[in-house]
Amino acid sequence: MSTVWGSKIKIAVFGESHSDAIGVVIDNLPPGIELDMAEIERQMARRAPNGGDFSTPRVESDKVEIVSGYFNDRTTGTPLCGIIRNTNTHSSDYDQLKEVVRPGHSDFGYYHKSGGNNDYRGGGHSSGRLTAPLVFAGAICRQLLKEKGIYVGAHISSIGVIKDDGFDARVGAEMFDNLSRQPFPIIDKNKFNSMNFLIQDAKSNGDSVGGTIECAIVGVPIGLGEPLFESVESKLASLLFSVPAVKGVQFGKGYELTKMMGSEANDPFYNLGDKVFTATNNNGGVLGGLATGMPIMFDVAIKPTASIFKEQDTINVVTGENVKLNLKGRHDSCIVVRAVPVIEAVAAIAIYDLLRD
Amino acid sequence: MSTVWGSKIKIAVFGESHSDAIGVVIDNLPPGIELDMAEIERQMARRAPNGGDFSTPRVESDKVEIVSGYFNDRTTGTPLCGIIRNTNTHSSDYDQLKEVVRPGHSDFGYYHKSGGNNDYRGGGHSSGRLTAPLVFAGAICRQLLKEKGIYVGAHISSIGVIKDDGFDARVGAEMFDNLSRQPFPIIDKNKFNSMNFLIQDAKSNGDSVGGTIECAIVGVPIGLGEPLFESVESKLASLLFSVPAVKGVQFGKGYELTKMMGSEANDPFYNLGDKVFTATNNNGGVLGGLATGMPIMFDVAIKPTASIFKEQDTINVVTGENVKLNLKGRHDSCIVVRAVPVIEAVAAIAIYDLLRD
Amino acid sequence: MSTVWGSKIKIAVFGESHSDAIGVVIDNLPPGIELDMAEIERQMARRAPNGGDFSTPRVESDKVEIVSGYFNDRTTGTPLCGIIRNTNTHSSDYDQLKEVVRPGHSDFGYYHKSGGNNDYRGGGHSSGRLTAPLVFAGAICRQLLKEKGIYVGAHISSIGVIKDDGFDARVGAEMFDNLSRQPFPIIDKNKFNSMNFLIQDAKSNGDSVGGTIECAIVGVPIGLGEPLFESVESKLASLLFSVPAVKGVQFGKGYELTKMMGSEANDPFYNLGDKVFTATNNNGGVLGGLATGMPIMFDVAIKPTASIFKEQDTINVVTGENVKLNLKGRHDSCIVVRAVPVIEAVAAIAIYDLLRD
Amino acid sequence: MSTVWGSKIKIAVFGESHSDAIGVVIDNLPPGIELDMAEIERQMARRAPNGGDFSTPRVESDKVEIVSGYFNDRTTGTPLCGIIRNTNTHSSDYDQLKEVVRPGHSDFGYYHKSGGNNDYRGGGHSSGRLTAPLVFAGAICRQLLKEKGIYVGAHISSIGVIKDDGFDARVGAEMFDNLSRQPFPIIDKNKFNSMNFLIQDAKSNGDSVGGTIECAIVGVPIGLGEPLFESVESKLASLLFSVPAVKGVQFGKGYELTKMMGSEANDPFYNLGDKVFTATNNNGGVLGGLATGMPIMFDVAIKPTASIFKEQDTINVVTGENVKLNLKGRHDSCIVVRAVPVIEAVAAIAIYDLLRD
């Protein structure tokens, strides 16, 4: 099993939902960087389960202990390891999952892969909880990108069938910052009531809803990305599809492009005041795998949380019996809200990995 | 720039559209395999430009010369290098692109990335022509997968707004084989006329159209894939987004899942005759990054070919002037048809890389 | 900076001599393995500084906390992270090294590499202390190798000019076990007094001595290793030269081979009872990078500890002044003794990485 | 089997001694470099078998065809593939090796590893012939290093028991250039007669001799190298041990250091005219894995050529019989001479990989 990622930097993520700790080793950070700890904590808090309206009742402070690679308030350039203790674990809630696998979940695959040795408590290593170390690594990468004038932001672009507006000409650092300070980051705030209704209605029915997240990255230098296997799109997609519940990724107009003629889809270049722009950005700032200098735009499809409280048909993997599952435990009824900072974080990691000397 | 891919096998792709040759080195193939050369040639021919209705007029035989790693008609286990000569190059067609970049194309990014040293002829290293070595590597992987009862197939699932039927219960080796022998692989043949009309109409207008390709992989063992960064979805997506013109990837119901409730989206497990199935396959045979044993299903969005003959606004990258481009040269007006075997090939490479000891 | 190693498994090592903790993430261990904790502790104790005759006075228990990848007393197959707290740190001892670099040490290189942001306390990330996580990872690999009948052992083959006997026909699991239980592992115990004299004499003079360690690996299957860059020799050497103070590595007769004729150096094959042997093992069990099935034999040169208490000429890196250094702190006067389990550990890691499916 | 190497650049080597071609793909070269083709050819000629006194009678021109990544006489930054055709192959010479394995050679390991599917002609993929692509890649890296004031050179430091002088204070670009233009590169030319006598005597007896090669790299910036696994020593050693017949590597005084006291072995730093030097260079320009700015010095042990014409005891791997081998074919009686440019080449590749942004 492989949990090391990266070319120029490397991140190694470890942990399970109910293991003693989760964390990440980040290799090849530049030395001499004073980390903005307040900002890192703010990013961690955006993702952390806080027991609020859009979160599982499991509350975790997600405080990161940096145990290496940081000295006298600066990075040393050696591997920086951040550790997050798991504290609020009700492991007995998961006893029912020793043998019964949850539909829509990785339990079945892990049971087979590990010969029954998987840590079934809370999804183990495939838990959404493993995105906490990614947010930590992402927060560091974001700080490093900011120094180069590169900013990442995202918003909930849909919950179920209810759509938010898309990013527009205002996209940039200020808009991103505003969005990141909202508990429910959307552009058109009039959509909040409908979206919230879908979520709370699902929650009260023991069900769940999904949605999409739109993300943008501004300030990326022209030509960033590598041909073929390290294209901007490949790098981003390989990390985005590592985030639990992501089932689709599209860049720019994505699937809409397939319905356009080439003459509509192509983004005309023009030169204005010694800077090159494209009149449209249908291709989402990436052509042939390389950045065009326009905002990199993509969205991801997040499926509804697989852990629901409605009775479901499934099997007992040990006996092979067909059984009914009435799930216990604590789960988000809509993971989309807490996934926003995660999508931003992995976007930052991917771009920084391409950019790092 | 990085053009080596893989964990258990490695492929290194090289070449430009108009360089002397293109090719691929494949590392860590098992020894003792007699390659099915006729089948490899058949796969190459599916992708090769043949001057027909759905192809650029540039005709290339795409004959692969295997120069290493193959002895007495068997693989030796050492790196196998396959070389394809570029023969039918009209390089002078591209003189106009020395300074003028094509909208929708990588020319602009490569010019900046390489400080003006890019091979602008025919898109250079970012040309769709580089998918020929991928089809070759894929043909070898397909043969190795077949020995394990794993089959890959695909069809055109849409051209513009015209949709083919989706894969259904008949999905499997026989259906894949039939599709692979059609010059225009679709399931509902009644759609051919409409789709072809869109393509020929675009061609006659100097324009282009896009579409989607649906791909399925059957026989994948339960639990294949690695958590996080080497999930089945991450591996497939990283290669799929390396194929020129791919702008979106979704697994199973993909974006449709975001509109479902969890109780609809979850695929109930059931046991029938000692084999586990899911009653639906909304998740496309992958949960938590691991294979469920159900067919792996995904589709990709292919944008309309960027090279069109209509006049377009663009810039001269050397002088910075805003100019009009009236493109010359030979181009596909719809790349979707020839992309079908490419999508199958990279799917085979990704699955084989996960499966190889 | 890069501290991730491996092809089939991956290890990511982190920490500094005086940071909060050091540790290692080990990826792709097989699931379902019950670790022999007593044996792991025994291996850790072999290396740990215990304040004895052959150790720095800094005493560390080197207790490993496994925080992930281990559940119900078995590996889960997900990344296993082991953390070792640094407890007995006298950081103020190192204040003198903020600006003054130790001859023979990495201080000078790290200062430049990190722009003065290196953790100079105790050698930081380049400290011999970082071999503790390697011994831990090695102990796990040794257990996995043992299940396949592969054993690793080593002894002090020289201290200064005093030589121990070499491994001979008795080399194997039992001899290795005996050696590993000696505080000063040598074959010819008559050499102890002379070797110990050299060490204690150096200690009393504030000086240090070096030596060599011979290592053998038995039971390695014929053909293990990969051509060229993943040869048995390349893999071993890349890890061996990562161990602080190692300045030379030779396989089999090594440098002696350069003085032999081919007819002497070549090891004749012969078949005895359906098993193939070589009459000599001058090549140390590796030919063309692949294992022959004979014991893999190599030795390493360990230079005398760079940290000595005699006055030395050096520079102040901040002011550029030429200065005298009278070192304080706690240091081994001969690192060879404690390096024996480290060399065994990295040998086990390298072989297991080649062997793992 | 793994034949891809590198972190910042990557090289993928392919081919067998008697396959159609051998070659290398080099990834991530900087764009815009005009290659010095005359110098590349000169380096290739230094290694190429020319039928002279110190070479196998097999004559190969080793002309490299660059098929990609090079346009208008400049690198494009995309993968550069160089192909060398095998022309002068007497494959029938090797029929005797279908079943009978050569002592001291990889034949036995490869037979087992490949299940009998190895290309036994001329050593196949493990042939010294595979060093030709390394010399080509090294020639490119040398040119790139030269632009940064870094130079690599080597000489024969011993043949059998006859030793050349070591590098001294004159070490540098001019001395390297002079050595590289000698057919038999030694510093003390008085040693030629004795060394040559050993070689010619071995040849006339159907036997072979080995030796050592000393290599130096000057101009390496302070701090180059990464801690632990990408130390200067680890990187160099991993490539050096990939060169056939290398059985030992030592840096600086290497094994001699084990007989010194720390106070002798440590190299005192001093500052002279704003540049830092060490008074001695016992550590060979590397401390803690990082470059000190002093010349990087190492030597390698090259065993006598395994292919000799004296009758030898060995086995038939198919029948298991003990047999006598009277080898035919064309072989070097001393590979050390032709190995000199190979050692320089891999040294250049290793250093450039560490240095590349």
Side-chain angles (χ1 to χ4, degrees), chain B residues 188-211:
Chain B
D188 175 3
K189 297 190 179 173
N190 296 319
K191 299 295 172 59
F192 174 71
N193 284 346
S194 315
M195 289 178 169
N196 189 36
F197 176 82
L198 285 183
I199 296 170
Q200 302 310 330
D201 189 55
K203 185 185 276 187
S204 62
N205 288 316
D207 212 331
S208 64
V209 288

PDB file of all heavy atoms in Angstrom, chain B residues 188-211:
ATOM      1  N   ASP B 188     -25.297   1.477 -29.485  1.00  0.00           N
ATOM      2  CA  ASP B 188     -26.557   1.651 -30.223  1.00  0.00           C
ATOM      3  C   ASP B 188     -26.221   2.178 -31.612  1.00  0.00           C
ATOM      4  O   ASP B 188     -26.019   3.374 -31.807  1.00  0.00           O
ATOM      5  CB  ASP B 188     -27.452   2.640 -29.464  1.00  0.00           C
ATOM      6  CG  ASP B 188     -28.729   2.948 -30.246  1.00  0.00           C
ATOM      7  OD1 ASP B 188     -28.937   2.357 -31.325  1.00  0.00           O
ATOM      8  OD2 ASP B 188     -29.504   3.788 -29.756  1.00  0.00           O
ATOM      9  N   LYS B 189     -26.185   1.260 -32.582  1.00  0.00           N
ATOM     10  CA  LYS B 189     -25.697   1.654 -33.911  1.00  0.00           C
ATOM     11  C   LYS B 189     -26.597   2.662 -34.615  1.00  0.00           C
ATOM     12  O   LYS B 189     -26.202   3.281 -35.593  1.00  0.00           O
ATOM     13  CB  LYS B 189     -25.484   0.402 -34.763  1.00  0.00           C
ATOM     14  CG  LYS B 189     -24.399  -0.479 -34.135  1.00  0.00           C
ATOM     15  CD  LYS B 189     -23.935  -1.620 -35.006  1.00  0.00           C
ATOM     16  CE  LYS B 189     -22.841  -2.361 -34.224  1.00  0.00           C
ATOM     17  NZ  LYS B 189     -22.410  -3.600 -34.889  1.00  0.00           N
ATOM     18  N   ASN B 190     -27.813   2.814 -34.086  1.00  0.00           N
ATOM     19  CA  ASN B 190     -28.707   3.817 -34.670  1.00  0.00           C
ATOM     20  C   ASN B 190     -28.180   5.236 -34.486  1.00  0.00           C
ATOM     21  O   ASN B 190     -28.651   6.152 -35.144  1.00  0.00           O
ATOM     22  CB  ASN B 190     -30.095   3.721 -34.018  1.00  0.00           C
ATOM     23  CG  ASN B 190     -30.744   2.388 -34.330  1.00  0.00           C
ATOM     24  OD1 ASN B 190     -30.664   1.891 -35.463  1.00  0.00           O
ATOM     25  ND2 ASN B 190     -31.372   1.789 -33.315  1.00  0.00           N
ATOM     26  N   LYS B 191     -27.242   5.370 -33.562  1.00  0.00           N
ATOM     27  CA  LYS B 191     -26.741   6.720 -33.314  1.00  0.00           C
ATOM     28  C   LYS B 191     -25.645   7.126 -34.302  1.00  0.00           C
ATOM     29  O   LYS B 191     -25.216   8.289 -34.306  1.00  0.00           O
ATOM     30  CB  LYS B 191     -26.161   6.820 -31.878  1.00  0.00           C
ATOM     31  CG  LYS B 191     -27.161   6.546 -30.790  1.00  0.00           C
ATOM     32  CD  LYS B 191     -28.254   7.595 -30.764  1.00  0.00           C
ATOM     33  CE  LYS B 191     -29.398   7.242 -29.801  1.00  0.00           C
ATOM     34  NZ  LYS B 191     -28.984   7.079 -28.415  1.00  0.00           N
ATOM     35  N   PHE B 192     -25.210   6.161 -35.118  1.00  0.00           N
ATOM     36  CA  PHE B 192     -24.067   6.462 -35.977  1.00  0.00           C
ATOM     37  C   PHE B 192     -24.336   7.651 -36.895  1.00  0.00           C
ATOM     38  O   PHE B 192     -23.514   8.557 -37.036  1.00  0.00           O
ATOM     39  CB  PHE B 192     -23.652   5.253 -36.814  1.00  0.00           C
ATOM     40  CG  PHE B 192     -22.573   5.586 -37.805  1.00  0.00           C
ATOM     41  CD1 PHE B 192     -21.273   5.859 -37.370  1.00  0.00           C
ATOM     42  CD2 PHE B 192     -22.846   5.707 -39.165  1.00  0.00           C
ATOM     43  CE1 PHE B 192     -20.274   6.206 -38.269  1.00  0.00           C
ATOM     44  CE2 PHE B 192     -21.848   6.065 -40.071  1.00  0.00           C
ATOM     45  CZ  PHE B 192     -20.564   6.303 -39.622  1.00  0.00           C
ATOM     46  N   ASN B 193     -25.502   7.647 -37.536  1.00  0.00           N
ATOM     47  CA  ASN B 193     -25.761   8.700 -38.515  1.00  0.00           C
ATOM     48  C   ASN B 193     -25.700  10.095 -37.895  1.00  0.00           C
ATOM     49  O   ASN B 193     -25.075  11.003 -38.454  1.00  0.00           O
ATOM     50  CB  ASN B 193     -27.117   8.478 -39.189  1.00  0.00           C
ATOM     51  CG  ASN B 193     -27.014   7.356 -40.215  1.00  0.00           C
ATOM     52  OD1 ASN B 193     -25.909   6.950 -40.592  1.00  0.00           O
ATOM     53  ND2 ASN B 193     -28.157   6.832 -40.638  1.00  0.00           N
ATOM     54  N   SER B 194     -26.308  10.246 -36.750  1.00  0.00           N
ATOM     55  CA  SER B 194     -26.304  11.574 -36.114  1.00  0.00           C
ATOM     56  C   SER B 194     -24.890  11.968 -35.706  1.00  0.00           C
ATOM     57  O   SER B 194     -24.459  13.119 -35.888  1.00  0.00           O
ATOM     58  CB  SER B 194     -27.184  11.584 -34.862  1.00  0.00           C
ATOM     59  OG  SER B 194     -28.402  10.943 -35.117  1.00  0.00           O
ATOM     60  N   MET B 195     -24.192  11.035 -35.107  1.00  0.00           N
ATOM     61  CA  MET B 195     -22.837  11.349 -34.667  1.00  0.00           C
ATOM     62  C   MET B 195     -21.946  11.683 -35.859  1.00  0.00           C
ATOM     63  O   MET B 195     -21.182  12.658 -35.838  1.00  0.00           O
ATOM     64  CB  MET B 195     -22.246  10.170 -33.885  1.00  0.00           C
ATOM     65  CG  MET B 195     -22.881   9.969 -32.502  1.00  0.00           C
ATOM     66  SD  MET B 195     -22.161   8.514 -31.677  1.00  0.00           S
ATOM     67  CE  MET B 195     -22.801   8.699 -29.992  1.00  0.00           C
ATOM     68  N   ASN B 196     -22.044  10.864 -36.881  1.00  0.00           N
ATOM     69  CA  ASN B 196     -21.221  11.087 -38.060  1.00  0.00           C
ATOM     70  C   ASN B 196     -21.553  12.422 -38.718  1.00  0.00           C
ATOM     71  O   ASN B 196     -20.668  13.139 -39.187  1.00  0.00           O
ATOM     72  CB  ASN B 196     -21.430   9.943 -39.060  1.00  0.00           C
ATOM     73  CG  ASN B 196     -20.437  10.015 -40.210  1.00  0.00           C
ATOM     74  OD1 ASN B 196     -19.278  10.393 -40.004  1.00  0.00           O
ATOM     75  ND2 ASN B 196     -20.882   9.679 -41.409  1.00  0.00           N
ATOM     76  N   PHE B 197     -22.833  12.769 -38.703  1.00  0.00           N
ATOM     77  CA  PHE B 197     -23.219  14.055 -39.276  1.00  0.00           C
ATOM     78  C   PHE B 197     -22.498  15.191 -38.568  1.00  0.00           C
ATOM     79  O   PHE B 197     -21.952  16.097 -39.198  1.00  0.00           O
ATOM     80  CB  PHE B 197     -24.736  14.248 -39.196  1.00  0.00           C
ATOM     81  CG  PHE B 197     -25.161  15.593 -39.680  1.00  0.00           C
ATOM     82  CD1 PHE B 197     -25.318  15.855 -41.049  1.00  0.00           C
ATOM     83  CD2 PHE B 197     -25.360  16.653 -38.786  1.00  0.00           C
ATOM     84  CE1 PHE B 197     -25.669  17.116 -41.495  1.00  0.00           C
ATOM     85  CE2 PHE B 197     -25.701  17.905 -39.225  1.00  0.00           C
ATOM     86  CZ  PHE B 197     -25.863  18.150 -40.585  1.00  0.00           C
ATOM     87  N   LEU B 198     -22.484  15.119 -37.218  1.00  0.00           N
ATOM     88  CA  LEU B 198     -21.813  16.181 -36.451  1.00  0.00           C
ATOM     89  C   LEU B 198     -20.335  16.290 -36.832  1.00  0.00           C
ATOM     90  O   LEU B 198     -19.799  17.389 -36.989  1.00  0.00           O
ATOM     91  CB  LEU B 198     -21.911  15.905 -34.948  1.00  0.00           C
ATOM     92  CG  LEU B 198     -23.250  16.149 -34.260  1.00  0.00           C
ATOM     93  CD1 LEU B 198     -23.109  15.890 -32.752  1.00  0.00           C
ATOM     94  CD2 LEU B 198     -23.714  17.593 -34.488  1.00  0.00           C
ATOM     95  N   ILE B 199     -19.720  15.144 -36.993  1.00  0.00           N
ATOM     96  CA  ILE B 199     -18.282  15.138 -37.293  1.00  0.00           C
ATOM     97  C   ILE B 199     -18.011  15.677 -38.698  1.00  0.00           C
ATOM     98  O   ILE B 199     -17.144  16.537 -38.908  1.00  0.00           O
ATOM     99  CB  ILE B 199     -17.706  13.714 -37.148  1.00  0.00           C
ATOM    100  CG1 ILE B 199     -17.817  13.254 -35.688  1.00  0.00           C
ATOM    101  CG2 ILE B 199     -16.252  13.662 -37.618  1.00  0.00           C
ATOM    102  CD1 ILE B 199     -17.507  11.779 -35.474  1.00  0.00           C
ATOM    103  N   GLN B 200     -18.771  15.172 -39.685  1.00  0.00           N
ATOM    104  CA  GLN B 200     -18.515  15.574 -41.074  1.00  0.00           C
ATOM    105  C   GLN B 200     -18.892  17.037 -41.295  1.00  0.00           C
ATOM    106  O   GLN B 200     -18.250  17.760 -42.067  1.00  0.00           O
ATOM    107  CB  GLN B 200     -19.261  14.658 -42.062  1.00  0.00           C
ATOM    108  CG  GLN B 200     -18.908  13.170 -41.921  1.00  0.00           C
ATOM    109  CD  GLN B 200     -17.402  12.873 -41.905  1.00  0.00           C
ATOM    110  OE1 GLN B 200     -16.596  13.591 -42.511  1.00  0.00           O
ATOM    111  NE2 GLN B 200     -17.011  11.819 -41.174  1.00  0.00           N
ATOM    112  N   ASP B 201     -19.931  17.466 -40.585  1.00  0.00           N
ATOM    113  CA  ASP B 201     -20.335  18.866 -40.681  1.00  0.00           C
ATOM    114  C   ASP B 201     -19.233  19.773 -40.119  1.00  0.00           C
ATOM    115  O   ASP B 201     -18.900  20.802 -40.722  1.00  0.00           O
ATOM    116  CB  ASP B 201     -21.634  19.059 -39.892  1.00  0.00           C
ATOM    117  CG  ASP B 201     -22.226  20.438 -40.115  1.00  0.00           C
ATOM    118  OD1 ASP B 201     -22.447  20.809 -41.282  1.00  0.00           O
ATOM    119  OD2 ASP B 201     -22.436  21.146 -39.112  1.00  0.00           O
ATOM    120  N   ALA B 202     -18.676  19.370 -38.990  1.00  0.00           N
ATOM    121  CA  ALA B 202     -17.565  20.138 -38.406  1.00  0.00           C
ATOM    122  C   ALA B 202     -16.403  20.166 -39.392  1.00  0.00           C
ATOM    123  O   ALA B 202     -15.813  21.222 -39.671  1.00  0.00           O
ATOM    124  CB  ALA B 202     -17.125  19.512 -37.086  1.00  0.00           C
ATOM    125  N   LYS B 203     -16.104  19.014 -39.944  1.00  0.00           N
ATOM    126  CA  LYS B 203     -14.965  18.927 -40.886  1.00  0.00           C
ATOM    127  C   LYS B 203     -15.168  19.874 -42.064  1.00  0.00           C
ATOM    128  O   LYS B 203     -14.265  20.635 -42.433  1.00  0.00           O
ATOM    129  CB  LYS B 203     -14.818  17.494 -41.382  1.00  0.00           C
ATOM    130  CG  LYS B 203     -13.607  17.272 -42.271  1.00  0.00           C
ATOM    131  CD  LYS B 203     -13.546  15.866 -42.867  1.00  0.00           C
ATOM    132  CE  LYS B 203     -12.907  14.875 -41.899  1.00  0.00           C
ATOM    133  NZ  LYS B 203     -12.687  13.540 -42.544  1.00  0.00           N
ATOM    134  N   SER B 204     -16.367  19.847 -42.628  1.00  0.00           N
ATOM    135  CA  SER B 204     -16.585  20.673 -43.808  1.00  0.00           C
ATOM    136  C   SER B 204     -16.566  22.161 -43.461  1.00  0.00           C
ATOM    137  O   SER B 204     -16.337  22.999 -44.321  1.00  0.00           O
ATOM    138  CB  SER B 204     -17.899  20.278 -44.493  1.00  0.00           C
ATOM    139  OG  SER B 204     -18.975  20.502 -43.621  1.00  0.00           O
ATOM    140  N   ASN B 205     -16.807  22.482 -42.193  1.00  0.00           N
ATOM    141  CA  ASN B 205     -16.743  23.891 -41.764  1.00  0.00           C
ATOM    142  C   ASN B 205     -15.384  24.285 -41.213  1.00  0.00           C
ATOM    143  O   ASN B 205     -15.244  25.377 -40.666  1.00  0.00           O
ATOM    144  CB  ASN B 205     -17.795  24.152 -40.684  1.00  0.00           C
ATOM    145  CG  ASN B 205     -19.190  24.152 -41.256  1.00  0.00           C
ATOM    146  OD1 ASN B 205     -19.424  24.741 -42.310  1.00  0.00           O
ATOM    147  ND2 ASN B 205     -20.103  23.456 -40.580  1.00  0.00           N
ATOM    148  N   GLY B 206     -14.410  23.364 -41.279  1.00  0.00           N
ATOM    149  CA  GLY B 206     -13.104  23.684 -40.698  1.00  0.00           C
ATOM    150  C   GLY B 206     -13.160  23.759 -39.184  1.00  0.00           C
ATOM    151  O   GLY B 206     -12.309  24.378 -38.551  1.00  0.00           O
ATOM    152  N   ASP B 207     -14.165  23.102 -38.608  1.00  0.00           N
ATOM    153  CA  ASP B 207     -14.333  23.166 -37.152  1.00  0.00           C
ATOM    154  C   ASP B 207     -14.139  21.754 -36.569  1.00  0.00           C
ATOM    155  O   ASP B 207     -13.666  20.847 -37.285  1.00  0.00           O
ATOM    156  CB  ASP B 207     -15.746  23.694 -36.834  1.00  0.00           C
ATOM    157  CG  ASP B 207     -15.784  24.510 -35.541  1.00  0.00           C
ATOM    158  OD1 ASP B 207     -14.961  24.226 -34.643  1.00  0.00           O
ATOM    159  OD2 ASP B 207     -16.640  25.412 -35.451  1.00  0.00           O
ATOM    160  N   SER B 208     -14.424  21.565 -35.302  1.00  0.00           N
ATOM    161  CA  SER B 208     -14.208  20.264 -34.675  1.00  0.00           C
ATOM    162  C   SER B 208     -15.254  20.017 -33.601  1.00  0.00           C
ATOM    163  O   SER B 208     -15.897  20.951 -33.130  1.00  0.00           O
ATOM    164  CB  SER B 208     -12.803  20.195 -34.063  1.00  0.00           C
ATOM    165  OG  SER B 208     -12.673  21.130 -33.020  1.00  0.00           O
ATOM    166  N   VAL B 209     -15.412  18.745 -33.232  1.00  0.00           N
ATOM    167  CA  VAL B 209     -16.342  18.378 -32.157  1.00  0.00           C
ATOM    168  C   VAL B 209     -15.658  17.455 -31.153  1.00  0.00           C
ATOM    169  O   VAL B 209     -14.690  16.779 -31.487  1.00  0.00           O
ATOM    170  CB  VAL B 209     -17.623  17.680 -32.689  1.00  0.00           C
ATOM    171  CG1 VAL B 209     -18.532  18.672 -33.406  1.00  0.00           C
ATOM    172  CG2 VAL B 209     -17.274  16.512 -33.606  1.00  0.00           C
ATOM    173  N   GLY B 210     -16.215  17.435 -29.955  1.00  0.00           N
ATOM    174  CA  GLY B 210     -15.693  16.560 -28.905  1.00  0.00           C
ATOM    175  C   GLY B 210     -16.676  15.480 -28.543  1.00  0.00           C
ATOM    176  O   GLY B 210     -17.618  15.188 -29.291  1.00  0.00           O
ATOM    177  N   GLY B 211     -16.460  14.854 -27.407  1.00  0.00           N
ATOM    178  CA  GLY B 211     -17.379  13.808 -26.976  1.00  0.00           C
ATOM    179  C   GLY B 211     -16.867  13.138 -25.718  1.00  0.00           C
ATOM    180  O   GLY B 211     -15.927  13.619 -25.073  1.00  0.00           O
TER     181      GLY B 211
END
